Amino acid sequence: KTGVWLAACSILAIYGRLACSMATELFVFRHCLRSTPPRIHNADPSRPELDDARNFSSVPLPEWGVPSYWCTEGGMSAIEDTGRWLARLVDPDAIVSLVADASMRDVDSSLALARGLSSEGLVSSQASYRPELFSTLDPEWGAPRCSMPATAEVAAEAGARLASIPQPPAESIDALERSLGVGAAGSLAGLPAPAVMADGIAASEGDKYYSSEWHLAGGVNAYKRLGQQLFYAWASRVRYPLLGAGPTVREMYAALQWQHYARAVKDVNSNKATDNAWWLAADLLRRLGEEGGRARLVAYLGHDGNLNGLAGLLGIDAWLAPPYASGPRGEYMPTPPGSALRFSRPAGKSEVEVSLVYPSFAPSSDDLLRDTQPSLGRPLQSTAPLLSLPLPELRARVQANAERFAGAAACLRSYEPPAADAEPGCSTSLPLTVGLVVAICCAAVCCIASGVLYALRYRARASRPRAPAVLEIKSTPAL
């Protein structure tokens, strides 16, 4: 019996520790499939009057049915499907937290994700909107939290990446032109090569006016915008009249890779690390270190710039995400709408595994795009693990990489964590050694209690009156 008490107490003590260290699944999502505006920046700097997608095509633009940069109807459905997928991935009693930027496409994405979660019985609290996590330099509301890095440094970083990352093959441009025709700007093949320019521009994007002292110029800006329109319209099931038979599915993915290439060149740098990643990284590391009585699911709803910036801070410079064209060795790092960096920390362990999950609407094939329907409701695909480190080493890695980017380390010091939101009723951050000490103490108490009980039972038995002994003699028959 004493052994049973010892085992029970030890198990309860250790279980108490494990119950306060349940699994955490954390995702940093890019928002929904969205509409794209016609504006194209600096496709040909010598002819700024042609910076409009309608000048690079002879067919009408897609009929989105929503304002620029808003989620399409198909995009909302895809994010809702992702919510259902997430609900099946985690414990049904998991604590769910949704954190979103305040732009319309992120708000809509958070609502669609919540609908998908709730349809599978997983209840989420109301999303919290914290734009300062997703942009410290120009949040949707509130003052900037950090200072912009020097333009010369950022432009030099982009120039170095432009020189080291190979461009997509020219065949992808030919396929675009066969499907879209030739517009007033002339053939796509005649546009200037990509170049990092630091001569200062001012431009409007949607309803947001911004200025910059450097930019990526050249035909890449037309190719990526036209590739985006082709893919977003098809995946959203939005009408887009094309010439002839139109492109194949493979050619569509080839056109889209210009968007991934452009971001890999211009958005993995000090500016993105400071603006789109550092406060976000600090917040997610805080949440990965929290412990509570139930499993946790945390979903951030942001932008591709957030994923690019986090990749820089994590020291990740490549991933393969088929069917999306990823470059010769994955250096384009595709971040299609609805993709996410996933951070998984198993129960009772410090190890954090980082991977990319993403939707695939159709496998790459030579089937005509017009004959291929995008698949909705499919589970997200996943890359191989990009990182797998104990949480303290992951923190150290982020800190070390922040030192490489001008402004990022200073931005860290300004991070403002919110009020603690760990589940009440469970001791947090209890070291495992403390749990073992508790188990030993519990076992000792059990031993003492068992000894006392045994002594009391012995005394009670000794003081009980005894009946006189009776000797029974049996006679044996005579021989």
Side-chain angles (χ1 to χ4, degrees):
K1 290 182 178 179
T2 301
V4 173
W5 277 94
L6 278 168
C9 285
S10 299
I11 290 171
L12 285 173
I14 294 175
Y15 173 78
R17 159 62 187 167
L18 292 179
C20 287
S21 183
M22 300 303 286
T24 297
E25 289 285 355
L26 189 151
F27 295 82
V28 181
F29 279 100
R30 185 187 175 191
H31 53 71
C32 58
L33 288 160
R34 57 162 175 78
S35 62
T36 63
R39 177 73 178 180
I40 294 177
H41 302 295
N42 298 290
D44 186 343
S46 67
R47 297 190 296 168
E49 71 278 3
L50 296 179
D51 281 0
D52 189 303
R54 288 165 288 207
N55 291 318
F56 296 91
S57 169
S58 64
V59 300
L61 298 184
E63 300 172 0
W64 299 109
V66 294
S68 294
Y69 295 108
W70 283 28
C71 293
T72 62
E73 184 177 349
M76 293 284 281
S77 296
I79 294 294
E80 194 168 328
D81 288 336
T82 296
R84 282 187 276 272
W85 175 79
L86 283 177
R88 301 181 195 118
L89 185 71
V90 300
D91 188 281
D93 293 325
I95 303 169
V96 180
S97 301
L98 303 181
V99 185
D101 196 3
S103 67
M104 180 59 75
R105 56 192 179 276
D106 294 304
V107 173
D108 280 347
S109 295
S110 69
L111 296 175
L113 196 71
R115 282 199 300 272
L117 290 166
S118 62
S119 70
E120 294 292 324
L122 197 62
V123 178
S124 63
S125 59
Q126 183 177 1
S128 60
Y129 298 101
R130 299 190 59 200
E132 74 280 1
L133 293 182
F134 301 93
S135 176
T136 62
L137 301 179
D138 187 19
E140 287 290 325
W141 68 61
R145 302 305 202 272
C146 300
S147 299
M148 185 177 294
T151 297
E153 293 184 36
V154 180
E157 291 168 354
R161 292 186 66 82
L162 176 63
S164 65
I165 298 177
Q167 292 184 49
E171 292 79 17
S172 59
I173 304 171
D174 297 336
L176 267 176
E177 196 157 275
R178 285 198 312 272
S179 301
L180 303 178
V182 177
S187 173
L188 293 173
L191 293 174
V196 173
M197 304 184 71
D199 56 355
I201 62 168
S204 61
E205 184 169 322
D207 58 355
K208 187 174 182 180
Y209 186 85
Y210 71 94
S211 63
S212 172
E213 295 179 1
W214 79 273
H215 57 279
L216 180 65
V220 58
N221 294 309
Y223 313 149
K224 75 183 185 72
R225 178 51 55 88
L226 297 173
Q228 274 184 311
Q229 288 184 341
L230 184 62
F231 174 72
Y232 293 3
W234 169 78
S236 299
R237 303 188 181 187
V238 167
R239 183 174 179 273
Y240 192 4
L242 300 173
L243 296 177
T248 65
V249 176
R250 193 182 314 279
E251 288 171 338
M252 174 196 66
Y253 284 124
L256 181 64
Q257 72 182 312
W258 284 98
Q259 164 70 2
H260 309 316
Y261 164 76
R263 297 203 71 87
V265 169
K266 70 184 185 67
D267 286 337
V268 182
N269 53 43
S270 297
N271 188 71
K272 286 295 177 184
T274 301
D275 185 23
N276 299 136
W278 190 233
W279 271 38
L280 185 58
D283 200 69
L284 67 87
L285 288 171
R286 175 185 66 83
R287 287 179 178 270
L288 284 169
E290 286 179 347
E291 298 173 0
R294 287 149 58 194
R296 292 179 178 275
L297 169 63
V298 183
Y300 295 88
L301 282 304
H303 308 268
D304 42 10
N306 297 119
L307 275 65
N308 292 129
L310 284 173
L313 283 182
L314 292 168
I316 299 171
D317 59 6
W319 59 63
L320 297 172
Y324 300 98
S326 307
R329 62 175 190 85
E331 55 269 79
Y332 294 176
M333 298 186 291
T335 54
S339 61
L341 283 172
R342 176 183 180 183
F343 299 77
S344 298
R345 183 185 178 190
K349 295 184 179 180
S350 177
E351 197 82 8
V352 178
E353 185 177 281
V354 183
S355 59
L356 181 85
V357 296
Y358 57 94
S360 171
F361 298 95
S364 183
S365 73
D366 292 322
D367 295 335
L368 290 175
L369 190 64
R370 69 181 185 183
D371 298 331
T372 306
Q373 290 296 316
S375 299
L376 299 178
R378 297 170 56 168
L380 298 189
Q381 293 183 227
S382 178
T383 64
L386 305 172
L387 279 179
S388 185
L389 292 171
L391 184 56
E393 292 184 27
L394 185 64
R395 286 196 184 99
R397 184 185 182 96
V398 169
Q399 179 65 55
N401 284 319
E403 298 295 339
R404 296 192 300 112
F405 293 117
C411 195
L412 164 65
R413 293 188 289 272
S414 67
Y415 168 68
E416 301 167 2
D421 53 1
E423 183 191 19
C426 182
S427 173
T428 60
S429 302
L430 181 66
L432 184 58
T433 52
V434 176
L436 293 175
V437 170
V438 171
I440 293 171
C441 293
C442 182
V445 171
C446 289
C447 286
I448 295 171
S450 297
V452 171
L453 287 173
Y454 181 81
L456 290 174
R457 289 177 62 189
Y458 181 81
R459 286 186 59 187
R461 189 179 299 169
S463 61
R464 193 180 303 157
R466 295 175 177 272
V470 177
L471 179 63
E472 181 179 358
I473 302 177
K474 295 184 178 180
S475 58
T476 58
L479 297 176

